[in-house]
Structure formats: structure tokens, C-alpha cells
Amino acid sequence: MNFAQKMTRVTIKEHGGTESLQFESARIPEPDSGEVVVQLKTMALNHLDLWVRRGVEGHRFPLPLTPGCDGAGIVTAVGSGVDTSLLNQSVMLSPGFSCGGCSFCKSDRDPLCKNYGILGETCHGTCAEYVRVQADQCLPKPESVSWEEAAAFPLSTLTSASMIEKAQLRPEETLLVIAGTSGVGSMAIQIGKNLGCQVIATGSTEEKRQKARELGADHVLEPDQESWWKEVKKTTSGRGADVIFENVGEATWNQSLLALAVGGRLTTCGATTGSLVPVELKRLFFKNQQIIGSTMGSRSLLSTLQKSFESRELVPLIDSVYPFRQLADAHDRMESRQSMGKIVLQF
Ligand code: ZN
């Protein structure tokens, strides 16, 4: 291929509103040793895209930066040391990458690697027609899934499954999914049901609650209603939920903890409504409860999940599909909190 060729990408030079998402022409990247270049067919948004665009107090992103963590496409170039059979393969990307050689990487805990990075956060991501990644970030795209699904799957499914794995959810237990139609929440419902659990989900609108039921939730709740945690108790014969799947933060935290069973585990990967929350320690230790933070998940877990994706045991919920040029509209949609599941962009 001709490396002087140009591509279109989005670059954030300064944090701000959707006007910070600037389209520009750039050279198509060349792969270094161990890397490949992928021509993207689709990419999917995550909350991380909003943080990268707006900026996070006390955190410095490497601007100018092309955002975008998830993507799927075709390998168009391979660097030295990479198996050339990858060329022209249809792939979906692992958003995370790491050194591969440290004790964390070698013990299947790669997100703890000191060099762990995420596409679109620590290096240029998938809001571009071409992206350069480590060859081992490429996972074969199953033929049974669409390009839209292939981009929608990796980050939220990996995040969701890793949280549930850390919480050691068991088949006889009850899982409460806060915001059941979010990208991660919609996957958590499916994972919980596949395990055989009773699943309760919250949804802020009737449409969202209906979608949560369709995804398999046995009971749904309105998080705006006062004392919804009592409903969780009622539904579980007074016991509460064994595992609570949180990614909302401040708005739901207090009631989530009240809904947690003795011996329960609350696992969180996000704080979309704020991250400063109180904890009543006496209740936590007397009830033998755990609060578990989690971000991303291991490469090997993603490979395992890919089999459930191929067999369609796990299907990403897709909210909407936009042309790449309408990235700003897609960000608006995500910020509006009306979306259910993943927002995908097509190149
Ligand atoms: Zn490492």
C-alpha cells in the first residue's frame, strides 16, 4: 500500500464540548515492529470518550489525541515480526494493551501492568479511518456477527465480565444491575442470566425497563422512586442482592449499599453521576460486605468472551448507528442519557 495516502481522523487538541472533535486529514500510520494497521469499518463509543473529550480534573491526557477505544476492521499492513497471514483479516480490537513481559502480564493480570494503555486514552484511538495497534490486539471477527456488533462488543463486555468475575457471582445468587440498559449493564444482565442467577435491573424510563426485561431481567425497578432498595429486599425475601453491579456512582450509591445482602459484593467500574460517596463502615464490616473496584479486564478473559459472542450467547445491545462524520451528534446522544446500549459509528 502507499503510505503517503491520507486518511480522515478526529483529533482533540483542547478539552471541551463537541466542537473539540475536529476532523482533519492525516497520513495513514505505518506499523512498527510487532504492530499492524487496521482500516476501520466501525467504531463504538464508551463513556471514556466523553471523559477524554471533556477532560478530567487532575488527569492529563496526551493531547492532541484521537479518541475511540473500540473498533473493528480489516488489517491492511503488518510490521516486522508479525505473521503476514493477518493481512486482509477481519478483526475486532482489544482496547487495552500492555508490555507482555512483566509479572502482571505473565499472570493474566495485564490491566495492572505499569505500561497498560487503552486506545483513545493513552494513544491514538479508533476515531480515524485507520488505526495502528499491537498485533496481539487483533481478535478474529466472528462471521456470525455484524461489523456494528464487532465494534460494540469488546470494551463494555470485557469490563462487565471482569467485574462479575471479581465479585465471584454464583448461579444461586441474585444480581442487581444498576442502569440495566447501559453498555456494561446490558451485558451484565446477559452474563447473570447465562449463569442462572436471578437478575434485577434498574431503568430510568419505561422504555429502558422494557428493554431490560427483553435482555432477561426477572425484575425491573425505577431508580427515581424513593426507597427502591426496599423493592430489592422485597424481591429477595428480605435478603438483598448478593452482587450489585454499579457504574452510576453518587446518584444510586446509598440505596445500592442498602440493597446489598449480608456477604454481598458491590462492584463498580464507573461514576457517571459523580464519584464522591459515603460508606457506613460499621454496616460494611458487620455484614461482611465487599466493595470492589474494577477497570477493563484481562486479554485472556476477552478471548474467552469472544466464544460466547460467536455463539451469540452474548449479544451487544446497539442503540444507534451514525456515519463517522456525525460523531458530534453521537456524543450528544450519549450525553443525553437517552441511549440504550452502544452507539456505533460507521466509516
Ligand atoms: Zn506488563
Side-chain angles (χ1 to χ4, degrees), residues 290-321:
Q290 298 173 50
I291 296 173
I292 304 165
S294 185
T295 194
M296 304 299 283
S298 68
R299 276 296 314 278
S300 67
L301 179 58
L302 186 56
S303 299
T304 307
L305 291 166
Q306 201 195 7
K307 296 183 187 89
S308 306
F309 187 29
E310 185 160 21
S311 64
R312 301 193 74 76
E313 277 169 62
L314 293 177
V315 180
L317 173 62
I318 293 181
D319 173 78
S320 44
V321 181

mmCIF file of all heavy atoms in Angstrom, residues 290-321:
data_model
loop_
_atom_site.group_PDB
_atom_site.id
_atom_site.type_symbol
_atom_site.label_atom_id
_atom_site.label_comp_id
_atom_site.label_asym_id
_atom_site.label_seq_id
_atom_site.Cartn_x
_atom_site.Cartn_y
_atom_site.Cartn_z
ATOM 1 N N GLN A 290 -18.295 -6.475 50.650
ATOM 2 C CA GLN A 290 -17.099 -6.023 49.933
ATOM 3 C C GLN A 290 -17.478 -4.989 48.887
ATOM 4 O O GLN A 290 -18.507 -5.108 48.235
ATOM 5 C CB GLN A 290 -16.435 -7.188 49.197
ATOM 6 C CG GLN A 290 -15.944 -8.306 50.085
ATOM 7 C CD GLN A 290 -15.455 -9.477 49.243
ATOM 8 O OE1 GLN A 290 -14.661 -9.298 48.329
ATOM 9 N NE2 GLN A 290 -15.955 -10.651 49.536
ATOM 10 N N ILE A 291 -16.609 -4.015 48.711
ATOM 11 C CA ILE A 291 -16.740 -3.056 47.606
ATOM 12 C C ILE A 291 -15.535 -3.283 46.710
ATOM 13 O O ILE A 291 -14.391 -3.245 47.176
ATOM 14 C CB ILE A 291 -16.757 -1.609 48.129
ATOM 15 C CG1 ILE A 291 -18.002 -1.392 49.013
ATOM 16 C CG2 ILE A 291 -16.737 -0.612 46.969
ATOM 17 C CD1 ILE A 291 -18.029 -0.047 49.721
ATOM 18 N N ILE A 292 -15.799 -3.575 45.453
ATOM 19 C CA ILE A 292 -14.717 -3.990 44.549
ATOM 20 C C ILE A 292 -14.644 -3.044 43.350
ATOM 21 O O ILE A 292 -15.598 -2.919 42.590
ATOM 22 C CB ILE A 292 -14.959 -5.434 44.041
ATOM 23 C CG1 ILE A 292 -15.110 -6.395 45.234
ATOM 24 C CG2 ILE A 292 -13.842 -5.873 43.111
ATOM 25 C CD1 ILE A 292 -15.689 -7.741 44.853
ATOM 26 N N GLY A 293 -13.513 -2.384 43.219
ATOM 27 C CA GLY A 293 -13.293 -1.531 42.055
ATOM 28 C C GLY A 293 -12.730 -2.354 40.915
ATOM 29 O O GLY A 293 -11.976 -3.306 41.128
ATOM 30 N N SER A 294 -13.096 -1.990 39.684
ATOM 31 C CA SER A 294 -12.615 -2.770 38.545
ATOM 32 C C SER A 294 -12.537 -1.888 37.319
ATOM 33 O O SER A 294 -13.388 -1.024 37.106
ATOM 34 C CB SER A 294 -13.589 -3.930 38.292
ATOM 35 O OG SER A 294 -13.106 -4.770 37.276
ATOM 36 N N THR A 295 -11.521 -2.089 36.539
ATOM 37 C CA THR A 295 -11.463 -1.394 35.251
ATOM 38 C C THR A 295 -10.899 -2.346 34.204
ATOM 39 O O THR A 295 -9.989 -3.117 34.496
ATOM 40 C CB THR A 295 -10.631 -0.090 35.344
ATOM 41 O OG1 THR A 295 -10.879 0.697 34.188
ATOM 42 C CG2 THR A 295 -9.146 -0.332 35.457
ATOM 43 N N MET A 296 -11.504 -2.342 33.045
ATOM 44 C CA MET A 296 -11.119 -3.232 31.946
ATOM 45 C C MET A 296 -11.097 -4.691 32.419
ATOM 46 O O MET A 296 -11.821 -5.055 33.337
ATOM 47 C CB MET A 296 -9.769 -2.823 31.347
ATOM 48 C CG MET A 296 -9.711 -1.379 30.860
ATOM 49 S SD MET A 296 -10.901 -0.988 29.557
ATOM 50 C CE MET A 296 -10.092 -1.739 28.133
ATOM 51 N N GLY A 297 -10.250 -5.524 31.807
ATOM 52 C CA GLY A 297 -10.183 -6.939 32.150
ATOM 53 C C GLY A 297 -9.041 -7.557 31.365
ATOM 54 O O GLY A 297 -8.458 -6.906 30.495
ATOM 55 N N SER A 298 -8.722 -8.806 31.671
ATOM 56 C CA SER A 298 -7.528 -9.408 31.059
ATOM 57 C C SER A 298 -7.775 -9.806 29.603
ATOM 58 O O SER A 298 -8.909 -10.056 29.193
ATOM 59 C CB SER A 298 -7.090 -10.625 31.864
ATOM 60 O OG SER A 298 -8.055 -11.655 31.722
ATOM 61 N N ARG A 299 -6.683 -9.897 28.864
ATOM 62 C CA ARG A 299 -6.766 -10.323 27.455
ATOM 63 C C ARG A 299 -7.357 -11.714 27.344
ATOM 64 O O ARG A 299 -8.124 -12.013 26.440
ATOM 65 C CB ARG A 299 -5.365 -10.310 26.828
ATOM 66 C CG ARG A 299 -4.903 -8.970 26.320
ATOM 67 C CD ARG A 299 -5.777 -8.476 25.189
ATOM 68 N NE ARG A 299 -6.028 -9.530 24.198
ATOM 69 C CZ ARG A 299 -5.181 -9.841 23.232
ATOM 70 N NH1 ARG A 299 -4.067 -9.172 23.088
ATOM 71 N NH2 ARG A 299 -5.463 -10.808 22.393
ATOM 72 N N SER A 300 -6.978 -12.601 28.292
ATOM 73 C CA SER A 300 -7.463 -13.980 28.181
ATOM 74 C C SER A 300 -8.981 -14.028 28.414
ATOM 75 O O SER A 300 -9.681 -14.820 27.788
ATOM 76 C CB SER A 300 -6.731 -14.895 29.161
ATOM 77 O OG SER A 300 -7.058 -14.547 30.478
ATOM 78 N N LEU A 301 -9.487 -13.140 29.290
ATOM 79 C CA LEU A 301 -10.934 -13.101 29.502
ATOM 80 C C LEU A 301 -11.638 -12.658 28.215
ATOM 81 O O LEU A 301 -12.673 -13.215 27.833
ATOM 82 C CB LEU A 301 -11.281 -12.164 30.665
ATOM 83 C CG LEU A 301 -12.767 -11.993 30.995
ATOM 84 C CD1 LEU A 301 -13.430 -13.335 31.333
ATOM 85 C CD2 LEU A 301 -12.962 -11.010 32.163
ATOM 86 N N LEU A 302 -11.055 -11.683 27.534
ATOM 87 C CA LEU A 302 -11.664 -11.217 26.276
ATOM 88 C C LEU A 302 -11.715 -12.344 25.244
ATOM 89 O O LEU A 302 -12.702 -12.507 24.527
ATOM 90 C CB LEU A 302 -10.892 -9.998 25.730
ATOM 91 C CG LEU A 302 -11.488 -9.308 24.515
ATOM 92 C CD1 LEU A 302 -12.930 -8.863 24.745
ATOM 93 C CD2 LEU A 302 -10.647 -8.098 24.087
ATOM 94 N N SER A 303 -10.651 -13.154 25.197
ATOM 95 C CA SER A 303 -10.652 -14.281 24.255
ATOM 96 C C SER A 303 -11.736 -15.296 24.618
ATOM 97 O O SER A 303 -12.392 -15.853 23.733
ATOM 98 C CB SER A 303 -9.293 -14.993 24.264
ATOM 99 O OG SER A 303 -8.305 -14.091 23.879
ATOM 100 N N THR A 304 -11.930 -15.516 25.913
ATOM 101 C CA THR A 304 -12.983 -16.444 26.342
ATOM 102 C C THR A 304 -14.359 -15.903 25.963
ATOM 103 O O THR A 304 -15.220 -16.624 25.454
ATOM 104 C CB THR A 304 -12.937 -16.632 27.884
ATOM 105 O OG1 THR A 304 -11.616 -17.010 28.229
ATOM 106 C CG2 THR A 304 -13.920 -17.668 28.357
ATOM 107 N N LEU A 305 -14.547 -14.589 26.198
ATOM 108 C CA LEU A 305 -15.841 -13.969 25.911
ATOM 109 C C LEU A 305 -16.159 -14.008 24.423
ATOM 110 O O LEU A 305 -17.317 -14.079 24.009
ATOM 111 C CB LEU A 305 -15.830 -12.509 26.374
ATOM 112 C CG LEU A 305 -15.783 -12.312 27.887
ATOM 113 C CD1 LEU A 305 -15.427 -10.872 28.224
ATOM 114 C CD2 LEU A 305 -17.119 -12.698 28.511
ATOM 115 N N GLN A 306 -15.088 -13.982 23.621
ATOM 116 C CA GLN A 306 -15.291 -13.967 22.180
ATOM 117 C C GLN A 306 -16.035 -15.224 21.716
ATOM 118 O O GLN A 306 -16.804 -15.179 20.761
ATOM 119 C CB GLN A 306 -13.932 -13.865 21.511
ATOM 120 C CG GLN A 306 -14.017 -13.352 20.114
ATOM 121 C CD GLN A 306 -12.734 -13.610 19.397
ATOM 122 O OE1 GLN A 306 -11.848 -14.284 19.922
ATOM 123 N NE2 GLN A 306 -12.612 -13.081 18.210
ATOM 124 N N LYS A 307 -15.816 -16.347 22.423
ATOM 125 C CA LYS A 307 -16.520 -17.591 22.048
ATOM 126 C C LYS A 307 -18.030 -17.440 22.296
ATOM 127 O O LYS A 307 -18.845 -17.891 21.497
ATOM 128 C CB LYS A 307 -15.960 -18.772 22.850
ATOM 129 C CG LYS A 307 -14.504 -19.039 22.516
ATOM 130 C CD LYS A 307 -13.967 -20.264 23.249
ATOM 131 C CE LYS A 307 -12.468 -20.410 23.031
ATOM 132 N NZ LYS A 307 -11.659 -19.691 24.043
ATOM 133 N N SER A 308 -18.387 -16.773 23.410
ATOM 134 C CA SER A 308 -19.817 -16.551 23.693
ATOM 135 C C SER A 308 -20.417 -15.551 22.709
ATOM 136 O O SER A 308 -21.618 -15.551 22.464
ATOM 137 C CB SER A 308 -19.995 -16.004 25.109
ATOM 138 O OG SER A 308 -19.375 -16.840 26.039
ATOM 139 N N PHE A 309 -19.563 -14.693 22.184
ATOM 140 C CA PHE A 309 -20.002 -13.715 21.179
ATOM 141 C C PHE A 309 -20.293 -14.448 19.874
ATOM 142 O O PHE A 309 -21.342 -14.259 19.253
ATOM 143 C CB PHE A 309 -18.877 -12.693 20.995
ATOM 144 C CG PHE A 309 -19.205 -11.511 20.118
ATOM 145 C CD1 PHE A 309 -20.494 -11.017 20.000
ATOM 146 C CD2 PHE A 309 -18.181 -10.873 19.432
ATOM 147 C CE1 PHE A 309 -20.766 -9.907 19.204
ATOM 148 C CE2 PHE A 309 -18.438 -9.761 18.634
ATOM 149 C CZ PHE A 309 -19.733 -9.284 18.515
ATOM 150 N N GLU A 310 -19.368 -15.324 19.504
ATOM 151 C CA GLU A 310 -19.510 -16.078 18.266
ATOM 152 C C GLU A 310 -20.781 -16.942 18.294
ATOM 153 O O GLU A 310 -21.503 -17.014 17.310
ATOM 154 C CB GLU A 310 -18.265 -16.959 18.064
ATOM 155 C CG GLU A 310 -18.269 -17.695 16.743
ATOM 156 C CD GLU A 310 -16.875 -18.156 16.337
ATOM 157 O OE1 GLU A 310 -16.000 -18.257 17.225
ATOM 158 O OE2 GLU A 310 -16.687 -18.411 15.138
ATOM 159 N N SER A 311 -21.057 -17.540 19.457
ATOM 160 C CA SER A 311 -22.237 -18.417 19.555
ATOM 161 C C SER A 311 -23.504 -17.617 19.859
ATOM 162 O O SER A 311 -24.581 -18.175 20.007
ATOM 163 C CB SER A 311 -22.013 -19.451 20.654
ATOM 164 O OG SER A 311 -21.893 -18.792 21.900
ATOM 165 N N ARG A 312 -23.355 -16.321 19.987
ATOM 166 C CA ARG A 312 -24.450 -15.385 20.250
ATOM 167 C C ARG A 312 -25.128 -15.616 21.603
ATOM 168 O O ARG A 312 -26.287 -15.277 21.807
ATOM 169 C CB ARG A 312 -25.460 -15.359 19.095
ATOM 170 C CG ARG A 312 -24.805 -14.968 17.773
ATOM 171 C CD ARG A 312 -25.777 -14.622 16.676
ATOM 172 N NE ARG A 312 -26.425 -13.326 16.857
ATOM 173 C CZ ARG A 312 -25.838 -12.152 16.628
ATOM 174 N NH1 ARG A 312 -24.583 -12.082 16.255
ATOM 175 N NH2 ARG A 312 -26.518 -11.032 16.793
ATOM 176 N N GLU A 313 -24.374 -16.179 22.551
ATOM 177 C CA GLU A 313 -24.862 -16.212 23.940
ATOM 178 C C GLU A 313 -24.797 -14.808 24.519
ATOM 179 O O GLU A 313 -25.534 -14.471 25.436
ATOM 180 C CB GLU A 313 -23.954 -17.100 24.798
ATOM 181 C CG GLU A 313 -24.235 -18.566 24.729
ATOM 182 C CD GLU A 313 -23.102 -19.333 25.392
ATOM 183 O OE1 GLU A 313 -22.880 -19.145 26.595
ATOM 184 O OE2 GLU A 313 -22.439 -20.106 24.671
ATOM 185 N N LEU A 314 -23.854 -14.025 24.035
ATOM 186 C CA LEU A 314 -23.730 -12.624 24.435
ATOM 187 C C LEU A 314 -23.838 -11.769 23.182
ATOM 188 O O LEU A 314 -23.072 -11.944 22.230
ATOM 189 C CB LEU A 314 -22.367 -12.361 25.100
ATOM 190 C CG LEU A 314 -22.105 -13.035 26.447
ATOM 191 C CD1 LEU A 314 -20.693 -12.730 26.918
ATOM 192 C CD2 LEU A 314 -23.127 -12.597 27.497
ATOM 193 N N VAL A 315 -24.825 -10.883 23.177
ATOM 194 C CA VAL A 315 -25.054 -10.027 22.005
ATOM 195 C C VAL A 315 -25.075 -8.578 22.483
ATOM 196 O O VAL A 315 -25.868 -8.232 23.360
ATOM 197 C CB VAL A 315 -26.400 -10.371 21.317
ATOM 198 C CG1 VAL A 315 -26.623 -9.485 20.105
ATOM 199 C CG2 VAL A 315 -26.443 -11.837 20.918
ATOM 200 N N PRO A 316 -24.199 -7.737 21.950
ATOM 201 C CA PRO A 316 -24.220 -6.347 22.413
ATOM 202 C C PRO A 316 -25.521 -5.650 22.006
ATOM 203 O O PRO A 316 -26.035 -5.859 20.901
ATOM 204 C CB PRO A 316 -23.010 -5.713 21.719
ATOM 205 C CG PRO A 316 -22.629 -6.623 20.616
ATOM 206 C CD PRO A 316 -23.174 -7.984 20.926
ATOM 207 N N LEU A 317 -26.031 -4.858 22.928
ATOM 208 C CA LEU A 317 -27.237 -4.074 22.659
ATOM 209 C C LEU A 317 -26.790 -2.811 21.908
ATOM 210 O O LEU A 317 -25.971 -2.046 22.419
ATOM 211 C CB LEU A 317 -27.893 -3.714 23.995
ATOM 212 C CG LEU A 317 -29.084 -2.759 23.947
ATOM 213 C CD1 LEU A 317 -30.235 -3.354 23.145
ATOM 214 C CD2 LEU A 317 -29.546 -2.424 25.371
ATOM 215 N N ILE A 318 -27.320 -2.613 20.717
ATOM 216 C CA ILE A 318 -26.918 -1.444 19.925
ATOM 217 C C ILE A 318 -28.044 -0.413 19.931
ATOM 218 O O ILE A 318 -29.184 -0.713 19.568
ATOM 219 C CB ILE A 318 -26.520 -1.846 18.495
ATOM 220 C CG1 ILE A 318 -25.227 -2.672 18.591
ATOM 221 C CG2 ILE A 318 -26.314 -0.608 17.605
ATOM 222 C CD1 ILE A 318 -24.664 -3.144 17.307
ATOM 223 N N ASP A 319 -27.699 0.775 20.365
ATOM 224 C CA ASP A 319 -28.678 1.863 20.447
ATOM 225 C C ASP A 319 -28.901 2.474 19.077
ATOM 226 O O ASP A 319 -30.032 2.619 18.623
ATOM 227 C CB ASP A 319 -28.160 2.934 21.412
ATOM 228 C CG ASP A 319 -29.030 4.169 21.427
ATOM 229 O OD1 ASP A 319 -30.095 4.105 22.067
ATOM 230 O OD2 ASP A 319 -28.669 5.187 20.793
ATOM 231 N N SER A 320 -27.811 2.864 18.421
ATOM 232 C CA SER A 320 -27.928 3.593 17.166
ATOM 233 C C SER A 320 -26.612 3.527 16.406
ATOM 234 O O SER A 320 -25.562 3.258 16.986
ATOM 235 C CB SER A 320 -28.282 5.058 17.448
ATOM 236 O OG SER A 320 -27.487 5.552 18.508
ATOM 237 N N VAL A 321 -26.720 3.772 15.109
ATOM 238 C CA VAL A 321 -25.542 3.763 14.240
ATOM 239 C C VAL A 321 -25.503 5.091 13.483
ATOM 240 O O VAL A 321 -26.504 5.495 12.887
ATOM 241 C CB VAL A 321 -25.594 2.586 13.224
ATOM 242 C CG1 VAL A 321 -24.349 2.581 12.350
ATOM 243 C CG2 VAL A 321 -25.751 1.254 13.955
#
